[in-house]
Amino acid sequence: MLKEQFSDEVIMADCIDDFRKDRPVEIGFGYSLERFFNLGFSVEKACDICVLDQNGCQYDAQDFAEVTLSLNWNDQQDREEPWDDLRPNHSTEEVAAILENKLGARIDLTPPKEAEQKEKTEQDYVQEFLRDLLIKGAGEQVIPEYTFSNIDYLAFWKEGDSLHPNVEKRLQKLKDTTIEIRENNKDTFDQFNECSEYDRIKWLISLNRYFLIRKDYWDYYNDNINQTDLSNTLFNILLVDAREIYTNHLCRALLNNRALLERFMI
């Protein structure tokens, strides 16, 4: 309908406005990029607008490339295509080739493990082998193993599971952010706590702009809204600006995992 009612120039201007609302590291940017491609515009044109053109957004090339590759392309079985006749018919590999051709040395799309393997010489492998023998011979573990090294799966965390130090740091940083929010908004928290239980639930629902929270968790929060520590923690998390991808994923996991929420936030 848009293509029938408006010229490409008008639609393009609207898409550029969309791109400028969120940086590539924020969740809204991916939605804007999906819309851009679904309207029939090319990956090359997105590179120009978002990275290369001086009058464009001039975003970081690596961040832009990683978001572009993360979208659903035609080699992915779960791809949803509202406008199949318009969207560029590329595989992920073809998109990567376009990005490398347009953005060149600005980006590195080599998977980390593959890049690491390429940099190793035969001598490196020999030294690693000998070192591993010595370490194992001393009865020590070579590489620490963690249950969760990726925040995308934190909603499945349970007591006793281990977290990679980087994940723990992100959780601590988020908690520090919520503490700062609470200290800077004492009047708002006082007002929230003076509300009836019904109004507190309504307030929490109205604040939820970013997350799909499972029904069983909403039911739990509703049944326990009189627990001040819990309700204030929920209120605090929902006040966080969660447009940045990592922050969004952390908050979503916390809101959908009671054990994680109680262990790291309450």
Side-chain angles (χ1 to χ4, degrees):
M1 183 182 71
L2 285 174
K3 300 287 277 188
E4 293 175 358
Q5 297 294 326
F6 300 99
S7 68
D8 281 355
E9 290 75 16
V10 171
I11 297 172
M12 179 77 72
D14 182 59
C15 288
I16 293 173
D17 287 341
D18 261 359
F19 287 144
R20 286 179 172 149
K21 290 176 183 176
D22 300 286
R23 295 174 295 123
V25 295
E26 297 175 336
I27 56 174
F29 185 82
Y31 297 135
S32 298
L33 203 54
E34 283 275 15
R35 174 173 176 258
F36 184 79
F37 294 138
N38 284 336
L39 286 166
F41 297 113
S42 68
V43 177
E44 291 90 342
K45 192 64 179 176
C47 290
D48 290 335
I49 293 171
C50 296
V51 179
L52 300 174
D53 285 356
Q54 290 187 350
N55 295 324
C57 302
Q58 293 190 303
Y59 289 135
D60 179 82
Q62 185 69 26
D63 290 341
F64 165 78
E66 289 176 2
V67 174
T68 304
L69 282 177
S70 73
L71 303 180
N72 289 324
W73 298 100
N74 71 1
D75 56 339
Q76 299 183 28
Q77 294 181 355
D78 60 346
R79 180 185 173 199
E80 297 179 2
E81 299 177 293
W83 299 294
D84 286 346
D85 58 326
L86 295 177
R87 187 185 176 106
N89 188 31
H90 298 313
S91 67
T92 304
E93 185 177 350
E94 289 169 336
V95 173
I98 293 170
L99 291 169
E100 289 179 329
N101 182 57
K102 286 288 292 186
L103 303 177
R106 295 169 182 247
I107 61 172
D108 179 10
L109 301 182
T110 308
K113 288 184 178 179
E114 185 179 337
E116 183 181 345
Q117 294 296 325
K118 285 182 178 180
E119 292 174 1
K120 290 179 180 175
T121 65
E122 184 176 349
Q123 184 178 2
D124 292 328
Y125 285 112
V126 173
Q127 289 177 345
E128 285 186 2
F129 176 73
L130 292 173
R131 186 193 65 212
D132 290 349
L133 282 179
L134 289 171
I135 294 175
K136 288 178 181 177
E140 297 178 14
Q141 187 177 2
V142 179
I143 300 174
E145 294 184 359
Y146 302 97
T147 313
F148 290 93
S149 297
N150 189 322
I151 63 174
D152 291 339
Y153 305 104
L154 268 184
F156 300 103
W157 182 90
K158 59 185 182 298
E159 197 64 51
D161 288 340
S162 59
L163 296 177
H164 191 283
N166 288 341
V167 176
E168 287 193 344
K169 286 179 182 177
R170 287 189 180 278
L171 281 166
Q172 185 57 53
K173 183 178 179 181
L174 177 61
K175 186 170 185 177
D176 293 342
T177 298
T178 61
I179 291 172
E180 183 179 350
I181 289 173
R182 190 175 302 194
E183 289 176 348
N184 292 334
N185 295 275
K186 290 181 179 179
D187 291 344
T188 303
F189 276 85
D190 289 342
Q191 185 180 353
F192 175 75
N193 287 310
E194 290 168 2
C195 288
S196 66
E197 293 179 5
Y198 176 75
D199 285 336
R200 268 181 277 171
I201 283 290
K202 282 180 60 179
W203 201 340
L204 292 178
I205 293 172
S206 69
L207 283 176
N208 184 30
R209 296 169 290 168
Y210 301 113
F211 314 109
L212 177 62
I213 302 175
R214 288 164 41 192
K215 182 180 182 301
D216 53 335
Y217 276 92
W218 271 124
D219 290 343
Y220 173 76
Y221 299 145
N222 183 68
D223 293 342
N224 294 275
I225 194 64
N226 61 335
Q227 295 184 21
T228 304
D229 286 345
L230 175 63
S231 61
N232 275 272
T233 300
L234 297 174
F235 188 61
N236 213 163
I237 292 175
L238 292 174
L239 286 173
V240 171
D241 183 350
R243 289 176 295 173
E244 194 270 333
I245 292 172
Y246 292 121
T247 303
N248 185 277
H249 288 186
L250 281 176
C251 292
R252 182 181 62 191
L254 288 161
L255 293 168
N256 285 284
N257 187 326
R258 178 182 167 188
L260 187 72
L261 184 73
E262 292 177 350
R263 171 67 176 78
F264 292 98
M265 299 299 292
I266 296 179

